Amino acid sequence: MSNPSERLVDHALSLRWSDVDPAAQAAARTFLHDSLCVGVAGRNAPFADAVLSAARLWGEGGVCSVLGRPDARLPAPQAAFVNAFQIHSQEFDCVHEPAVVHPLATIVSALFAEVERSGPYSGEVVLTALVAGVDVSASLGVAASNPLRFFRPATAGIFGCVAALVSLTRPDRQVALDAFGYALSFASGSMQAHVEGKATLPVQMGQAARNAVSALDLARAGLPGPSQSIDGRFGYLPLFEGAFDLDAALADLGRRFRIAEVSWKPYPTGRAAQGCIVATEMLMRDHGLTPATLERLTYSAPPIIHYLVGRPAVEGMSVAYARLCAAWLSAVTLTRGRPVGLDDFSAASLADPAVLDLAGRIEVVVNDNPDPAAFAPAEAVARFTDGREVRLTLQSQFGAPDWPLSREQHLAKAAACLAFGGLPDIHAPLAALIDQFDLLDDAARAFRLAAGRDDA
């Protein structure tokens, strides 16, 4: 096999918008819109103001915008950091399930930092770069054979960011390869934060976006980076993933666009919890399930579901922990009579003894699926207090490519995010701008609008 770093770099450098099929073009516009709106909502996420304060210590006075913050200006690396944190901070950003990667939080943030500091760039060029970046980060994810050992949205994510920046700026091939080498040098992200339910997860996403900008800057300044960044003895895949097979993913480059395989998140929770939320909603709607009539709900799912969201609900848990607790999220859904939303993570809600008691009757168990990255199929079994037992099988999760959000549902999510972030008035103009995004002469207009700036 030829050097995978070269294959990935060549894909990023050669891809053009006309090469991308219509389904992938539509997905690129859709998930760009989704990411911007989720990032605006993240302006009011826990610790978002603290992250901005920390980033300002590293440098202010730049030209780059921060989502939902019309008065904030930061240098490109710091802006990429804060925006990636905000996009992922509420677990509402899209995900490539087979790769177990949240690709757009990092890519969109790094791209727009570069767009604002060195543009203008057209919408077509930016969307092409987004597609190329998702191809790279998702390809690295699907190549992995082992269960997650590191936080892949950050570790694979930095390579997707660098690929997107390379596609956008079109440096010399050697510069692009050097930038990949620095992506390896900067790659980091621990799953310990996931285990403990800490806000460190979106910080790791922010650092990936920030480091991607720095990686390209160093390469453009003439610093040589490692050339075997992907499969060398201590390259990304041997070091971070252990077992892998990249050949099939490389063969698909330019023929299979991974952006079309990305899933929405209908709810602001860990993606692995959303099948259980949907099953709870279906049991409520179709079988009359209520907190009073539930004896036990068991959600039997592939191993990664239990690994990611099978934790118990506990008193004093953080917001980040709760977003990754399927039992608590389903208990909130059952208690509220509708799926969990952005407003359901208050201190009072987290401490509600009735919800905590109900969560104790809901559990996630592992089925016999051998695929370490599968999210479905899964089965929910509800035992009612009157002795009834109801079984539901989910072949996929709501928001997946084979069960997508409708246009109306997508726009409703966007509107809710913008309202939560304090920018409800930009909903219609932003949606209209994204619909024609590939035709824009200056793509930064959309980002300035999502930042709430009046010069959009």
Side-chain angles (χ1 to χ4, degrees):
M1 181 176 67
S2 61
N3 183 347
S5 302
E6 295 179 352
R7 297 280 297 278
L8 295 171
V9 160
D10 289 342
H11 175 64
L13 288 172
S14 64
L15 188 65
R16 298 295 184 270
W17 188 237
S18 58
D19 301 327
V20 181
D21 63 51
Q25 289 186 356
R29 284 190 292 268
T30 294
F31 288 113
L32 172 60
H33 184 214
D34 182 81
S35 300
L36 293 178
C37 295
V38 166
V40 172
R43 181 258 178 275
N44 285 324
F47 304 109
D49 288 342
V51 165
L52 177 63
S53 296
R56 280 176 163 157
L57 295 175
W58 307 330
E60 279 196 273
V63 299
C64 297
S65 306
V66 179
L67 290 166
R69 300 177 186 270
D71 298 325
R73 301 288 190 282
L74 293 172
Q78 280 77 285
F81 177 88
V82 176
N83 285 320
F85 175 90
Q86 288 188 189
I87 293 174
H88 188 62
S89 60
Q90 298 184 104
E91 287 282 355
F92 218 1
D93 53 318
C94 59
V95 60
H96 190 285
E97 289 184 15
V100 198
V101 165
H102 299 260
L104 267 71
T106 50
I107 290 171
V108 167
S109 302
L111 268 181
F112 274 100
E114 185 65 35
V115 164
E116 287 200 287
R117 75 170 177 176
S118 67
Y121 292 94
S122 71
E124 179 179 298
V125 168
V126 171
L127 287 173
T128 303
L130 189 154
V131 171
V134 174
D135 281 345
V136 169
S137 58
S139 292
L140 293 176
V142 299
S145 306
N146 280 331
L148 285 175
R149 304 194 305 170
F150 295 86
F151 187 54
R152 198 175 291 155
T155 59
I158 189 172
F159 289 96
C161 283
V162 170
L165 292 172
V166 163
S167 175
L168 180 77
T169 60
R170 307 286 173 178
D172 290 342
R173 186 172 186 264
Q174 186 57 54
V175 170
L177 288 168
D178 289 338
F180 260 59
Y182 280 100
L184 170 65
S185 299
F186 294 154
S188 65
S190 170
M191 285 298 290
Q192 188 61 35
H194 196 288
V195 171
E196 296 183 19
K198 298 290 176 63
T200 315
L201 291 176
V203 169
Q204 292 176 164
M205 300 280 276
Q207 192 70 349
R210 179 178 187 236
N211 284 342
V213 175
S214 299
L216 182 60
D217 286 349
L218 288 168
R220 288 193 292 197
L223 278 74
S227 59
Q228 297 282 334
S229 58
I230 301 300
D231 69 337
R233 180 181 176 190
F234 299 107
Y236 170 72
L237 286 172
L239 190 64
F240 285 86
E241 300 294 359
F244 60 92
D245 182 359
L246 189 58
D247 289 349
L250 291 177
D252 281 335
L253 291 173
R255 301 185 303 182
R256 179 177 184 173
F257 297 104
R258 301 289 180 176
I259 187 68
E261 301 169 355
V262 167
S263 298
W264 281 272
K265 279 191 179 178
Y267 320 116
T269 75
R271 178 61 174 162
Q274 298 195 353
C276 193
I277 294 170
V278 170
T280 302
E281 186 181 20
M282 294 169 68
L283 288 163
M284 293 161 51
R285 182 192 65 214
D286 300 334
H287 301 279
L289 184 67
T290 68
T293 61
L294 176 66
E295 180 180 320
R296 193 79 183 169
L297 174 60
T298 302
Y299 189 69
S300 177
I304 196 170
I305 303 296
H306 184 271
Y307 174 59
L308 294 177
V309 298
R311 64 194 66 198
V314 294
E315 292 185 12
M317 60 186 172
S318 67
V319 172
Y321 184 104
R323 290 189 196 277
L324 301 171
C325 177
W328 186 84
L329 296 163
S330 294
V332 170
T333 297
L334 190 54
T335 301
R336 306 286 189 266
R338 44 94 181 143
V340 62
L342 285 166
D343 295 321
D344 289 320
F345 295 90
S346 65
S349 180
L350 290 171
D352 188 333
V355 176
L356 288 169
D357 176 73
L358 186 58
R361 289 179 263 157
I362 302 171
E363 65 175 337
V364 176
V365 299
V366 177
N367 66 18
D368 59 0
N369 192 319
D371 185 345
F375 281 63
E379 182 183 58
V381 181
R383 292 201 304 272
F384 288 70
T385 53
D386 62 6
R388 286 184 297 149
E389 182 175 281
V390 175
R391 294 176 176 267
L392 296 176
T393 299
L394 276 69
Q395 295 297 334
S396 64
Q397 297 201 119
F398 181 38
D402 61 348
W403 192 0
L405 270 65
S406 67
R407 170 76 173 177
E408 292 73 20
Q409 289 167 328
H410 166 78
L411 291 176
K413 174 186 173 181
C417 286
L418 296 174
F420 189 84
L423 294 178
D425 292 343
I426 74 167
H427 174 55
L430 183 61
L433 201 59
I434 295 297
D435 283 342
Q436 300 296 317
F437 189 78
D438 49 320
L439 303 179
L440 290 183
D441 293 328
D442 180 9
R445 282 174 51 200
F447 205 72
R448 292 195 298 269
L449 181 59
R453 288 172 53 176
D454 57 13
D455 59 342

